[in-house]
Amino acid sequence: MADALDLPGASSMQKMSTRTFRQKAQEFLSSRKYANNLVDIISQWDESSSSCLLTIETIFVEVLKRGDMFVEQTITLTISEPSPERRYINWLRNCYEEVWEKILLSIEKSRPTVQLQALTTALKLLAQEGKTPLEPTGTLGYYLPLHRLKPILMSLLSPEKDNINLINRFQEIAGYSDALYYTWKCLPSLTPKRQPREIYIKNLLELIDKLPLPKDTDENEICENKQLLCGSNGVATNCFTWDQASVRRSLNKVWACVMHWELTPQLHKQLLIVLLERVMPHLEKPILLTDFLMDSLDADGPIGLLALQGVFLLVTKHNLEYPNIFTKLYSMFEPEIFHTKYKARLFYLSDLFLSSTHLPEALVAAFAKRLARLTLVAPPEDILIILLFVGNLLLRHPGLKRLIDHPQGGELISEEGTGTGDPFLMEERDPLLSNALLSSLWEIKALQWHILPSIATAARFIREPLPSVEYDMASALERTGGHMFDRELRNKVKDIMLTFERPDSMALPKGDRLLQYWQLTSIH
């Protein structure tokens, strides 16, 4: 046993093969006389290979299962030389700590494939150590080693390297209630109050986006979920409890720091997405976001649009008063919106904003007219959405039917220079001053002669009786090109037709024009 404990005396070896790694691991686990095999394996640690990681994982998962490193905490009154058994356990635990340092280093600095394997190994060791701790935990059967989880999270939240692939892999343990709970509990201590680096902010937002935070109504369902990362069958399952209030406090602490950081436009957009889709329903005082969202509204492009959704939630669910919201919404309908990723979100939110039948007709008329004018430059798929949108506005406000065929306004200037012209002021920022009620929807009438039959047919609604039920904007937006393309990509293709005739030789299929000029022959 003395040789096994003599680390400096271990013989240096050449690079091992995968088969040698496996053989040495089996020998080590079968008998203590092969203890030096572990030293040889650790000495072969290579940041460019996963073989050593897989071998280490196999060894220590089994060692933890067998309890070979478990130590009972006893009080000794006399100082004496440790027994050979205790020396072996201490040596084994020192190797285990050394392995953890190397795993964390591999997560941070190795190439991507090795990083993923190192993270997987770390999570498996963490799970097994939770089931079979190294020491008595003092609990009634459940234990998760936070001193292992926290360094893993620190490696994921690197301030120097974009770890989106690692965070996607870490997301796999989010299905375990205990791992998800303690991850949220660790995050406040890992979130700095001072301005961090951009890479750190990006990694933190990615991690928050990948960690589901159930709603309060789902708390009972979480408590009934018996799938635990570190729980074993039996009493351990019943000892873990999900504390929803504690998790929400952790999230609010993290977000209180995030909101004070300076952000680049890209990070600003990413933060708004995470805020709207993950965080906002769980904030204790969402109304405190008012200043941030108002400042974000002044930004152009996706940032202003995403902030608009946040303001909409504050207005509808938290009674925020924002009198200029319609003016801001009106200003967002510019030709550039058709070239952004979030245009469907704008149409959907606008339909909700303008759903009230108590809005002034002059305001709604300005939106209808501006949308109609944009059809002259919009892509075909967006023209169809705009036509449905305008149709909904006419249904909600019957008085706007005067825009369909206004008796005095909306005439185009002829080539001879006669005519009154369109009184609508497209450049006016205030919708109430745009003179929309004096104009007409001649743009939609013009679309009845569009080159695309689908658009021409859709535009004919303006000369027919309007339907009694509003158009479903949500389903219409799902049928747009981008959504259809994404949906088709997710469909699994079961069979792909490569040829219409099964080839039975090297000859070309029958009837091929090439046969008239060439003949394929095989050379023997």
Side-chain angles (χ1 to χ4, degrees), residues 37-253:
N37 283 12
L38 179 59
V39 181
D40 295 337
I41 293 172
I42 295 176
S43 66
Q44 291 289 315
W45 197 283
D46 185 1
E47 295 184 357
S48 63
S49 175
S50 301
S51 300
C52 185
L53 270 170
L54 291 170
T55 306
I56 290 295
E57 176 187 315
T58 302
I59 290 175
F60 279 103
V61 166
E62 182 62 27
V63 167
L64 288 168
K65 285 182 180 179
R66 299 192 311 204
D68 290 349
M69 294 187 291
F70 183 79
V71 175
E72 286 284 357
Q73 293 180 346
T74 57
I75 300 176
T76 56
L77 300 177
T78 59
I79 301 176
S80 59
E81 186 73 17
S83 63
E85 178 68 17
R86 185 57 183 266
R87 291 181 60 204
Y88 176 79
I89 293 176
N90 291 339
W91 169 79
L92 198 56
R93 294 179 68 158
N94 290 335
C95 292
Y96 184 57
E97 297 299 329
E98 180 185 357
V99 162
W100 263 103
E101 292 178 3
K102 291 181 176 293
I103 290 174
L104 295 173
L105 190 64
S106 295
I107 294 176
E108 294 177 2
K109 299 184 177 180
S110 297
R111 59 191 178 91
T113 54
V114 179
Q115 281 183 307
L116 292 173
Q117 180 57 53
L119 178 59
T120 302
T121 299
L123 295 177
K124 288 185 178 180
L125 293 178
L126 179 146
Q128 190 58 50
E129 188 175 340
K131 296 174 182 177
T132 53
L134 302 181
E135 297 175 354
T137 60
T139 60
L140 297 177
Y142 178 81
Y143 169 69
L144 188 144
L146 290 177
H147 66 291
R148 305 294 185 199
L149 177 61
K150 195 169 182 178
I152 294 175
L153 293 174
M154 292 174 63
S155 300
L156 296 180
L157 299 176
S158 170
E160 301 176 354
K161 194 172 184 180
D162 186 351
N163 286 331
I164 183 172
N165 292 331
L166 291 175
I167 292 172
N168 288 334
R169 176 63 60 87
F170 184 82
Q171 183 186 10
E172 297 175 3
I173 74 166
Y176 298 96
S177 302
D178 54 342
L180 180 62
Y181 175 79
Y182 285 107
T183 298
W184 278 114
K185 294 289 289 182
C186 288
L187 280 183
S189 61
L190 301 177
T191 307
K193 294 183 179 180
R194 295 183 178 180
Q195 178 73 26
R197 294 186 179 181
E198 294 181 12
I199 296 297
Y200 172 87
I201 300 176
K202 186 177 187 302
N203 288 329
L204 178 62
L205 293 176
E206 288 286 352
L207 181 61
I208 295 176
D209 187 45
K210 296 298 186 296
L211 295 178
L213 185 57
K215 298 180 180 179
D216 296 339
T217 54
D218 300 331
E219 185 175 356
N220 294 331
E221 181 180 348
I222 298 171
C223 296
E224 295 174 358
N225 181 14
K226 304 299 183 182
Q227 191 175 14
L228 303 179
L229 181 68
C230 295
S232 57
N233 295 329
V235 67
T237 306
N238 300 323
C239 292
F240 169 77
T241 56
W242 176 276
D243 188 353
Q244 181 77 353
S246 179
V247 174
R248 291 188 64 181
R249 284 195 299 269
S250 297
L251 172 61
N252 280 268
K253 289 179 181 178

Side-chain angles (χ1 to χ4, degrees), residues 492-509:
K492 295 182 179 179
V493 179
K494 297 181 180 179
D495 190 15
I496 300 177
M497 182 66 70
L498 299 179
T499 58
F500 291 98
E501 297 181 16
R502 183 181 297 277
D504 54 4
S505 66
M506 290 187 63
L508 294 174

Side-chain angles (χ1 to χ4, degrees), residues 292-345:
F292 171 75
L293 292 175
M294 293 304 180
D295 294 339
S296 301
L297 269 177
D298 295 331
D300 296 328
I303 294 177
L305 179 54
L306 292 169
L308 177 68
Q309 182 176 350
V311 172
F312 175 76
L313 293 175
L314 293 181
V315 170
T316 56
K317 295 186 178 181
H318 302 282
N319 300 322
L320 174 68
E321 293 185 4
Y322 184 50
N324 296 325
I325 187 64
F326 291 103
T327 302
K328 185 61 184 178
L329 178 63
Y330 184 78
S331 66
M332 288 186 175
F333 283 101
E334 297 286 348
E336 293 77 13
I337 194 63
F338 300 118
H339 307 290
T340 63
K341 181 180 180 182
Y342 302 99
K343 60 183 177 182
R345 194 183 301 242

Side-chain angles (χ1 to χ4, degrees), residues 342-356:
Y342 302 99
K343 60 183 177 182
R345 194 183 301 242
L346 175 61
F347 285 124
Y348 179 74
L349 288 174
S350 301
D351 189 52
L352 293 178
F353 267 110
L354 299 172
S355 60
S356 174

